[in-house]
Amino acid sequence: MKPPESHSNNNPKTPKLSQEEFGLPPNIFQNSNAPAIDLTDTVNTDPVKNSQQETEPTTVKTPLTLNIPTFDTINALPTPMTYTPLSPNLLSSMSPTIQMQQQPFQQLNIKKRRNNNNLNNINGINTFKSHFNEIRNSKELDQVKNIAASNRVVSELIPPPTLSPQRIVSLPTVNEEEITFDNEERTKLENEQNEFSNEEIILNGYLLKDMSHVRQWKKIKHIGTGNFSFVTLYESLDEFDKYYHQVAVKKIKYPNNILNTTDDTLSRLESSLTRELSVLKTLDHPCVVKLYGINNPIFIEQKRPLTTLLQEGHASIPSCEFIMSYCNGGDLLKELTECQGNVPRWLIQRLYGELVLAVKYLHENLIIHRDLKLENILLRYTLDEIIGMRNTASYYEQNMIELGDFGLCKKIENGELCTARCGSEDYVSPEILMGIPYNGNLTDTWALGVILYALLEDRLPFDAPPNANQRQRNRPVAHRIARFEWRWSKTLDEVGLDSAKDIVKNTLTRKNQRWNIQQMYDSDYIKEVVGTLKF
Ligand SMILES: Nc1ncnc2c1ncn2[C@@H]1O[C@H](COP(=O)(O)OP(=O)(O)OP(=O)(O)O)[C@@H](O)[C@H]1O
């Protein structure tokens, strides 16, 4: 059994912020000869809901006419969801695929991981067990490090130091605006994170089931950094119920000048925070991360906690820390990277079956996730440990994954279409790319198709195909997504994968043909594995 790995990392991330509806950057849709269409949108016009629950604007103002391009001339997303290098030269100069061409050792091609855990964990690769490929010498280790270093960072606000300027995202409730981060600000964020990880912290918090008693946890180690947050492992000082002994604490990052901004950054942050919390506290499924408590009850009790505190004359705003179930195995992308993608087929089916159960639960409760990706699939055990459990009763009696990161989720009305353009570049559906009001259930199943493809093929479906020429490699992912351009490569001739491939075929397709979660659940691939579970 592999010893537990540290999931800590020290690289800063910036808030991944979801998009404004159709705040289309003018340069993207111009100069196209394609027919103009009217995209004026009146979806989601309930002012009460909008002010209290949903961060999307009440009425979406879109250009009266909009030229839809052929995508041939676009080298960035219509509305930025991630940084995208402006210059094609820059793009190619940092393309990890190109670097990978020079790295014959590399087998796992899923490299668009946010730039957090990989480098820190890479040294642990040597210790992996025999069923995973080992890094056998220092030259190979260096190669892997280079690849990890070249990972593109998706859905992030801060561009990597080598690239400037970047296209930047905005929060959902305001018009798209350009926010730039200079090196100074980046350094500040880095320092802030280092300070955070050096602090000795006793956390005072409240369990949702009993908000009248303060409880204490002590910090054990830093385990992850998201666009929005730092995640840390804590252990209880006074609560020995096994569920609350070890907890993952997600501390929300606040923008530096949050109190001095003249725009509505504070209220956008606030509504995003309270939306995530309000959904999380209603969820109860084994395969979904659990919100156990909060460091400050005001975040649960008030609709506008930050504004309220400031109105009451507080000079600063308190930190917001979610106390959540802890997943000891880290996230699935980290594990896949470490084991070089050689995950047994039965294990993929098991993990994926649980993921489908989690999303089915959400959709049945009218919640869409909108950020399904490998990084957000948390593992209760390492893959090594799960493999070791296979022939035991506990393999069937307990869940192995918890779906996390509800920062972009939304509670919807039946049949409601969404307009907030959000997600992570590689997992985003063509209709979101195109700026068309979308069915969030179907954009979630699209992302599920991307995930299954990635698990089977060890690469993301819309990356340049293996053996692609230089020109193809330079084409942005968005082009391939918009054209549904994916194909089997590694598993082309592999037998026994028909039912899994059926899911991919029926999810990475046009929205009017795409399977919903019930159809996925009813597929042979999922039925077969779900039938064996006893939790
Ligand atoms: N409950 C948990 N148990 C173990 N690790 C966790 C847990 N929650 C988060 N992490 C780790 O921290 C990372 C960041 O967490 P999370 O995705 O929730 O933050 P975020 O700021 O919302 O990120 P994103 O960049 O995806 O928006 C995860 O990818 C995972 O590695």
Side-chain angles (χ1 to χ4, degrees), residues 507-518:
T507 47
L508 297 187
T509 185
R510 292 172 197 290
K511 61 182 190 303
N512 52 357
Q513 296 162 1
R514 197 176 305 153
W515 277 0
N516 61 28
I517 197 68
Q518 185 64 45

Side-chain angles (χ1 to χ4, degrees), residues 446-466:
W446 170 278
L448 287 176
V450 173
I451 291 171
L452 184 54
Y453 179 98
L455 289 169
L456 296 172
E457 285 272 325
D458 301 333
R459 60 182 291 276
L460 289 159
F462 299 103
D463 276 349

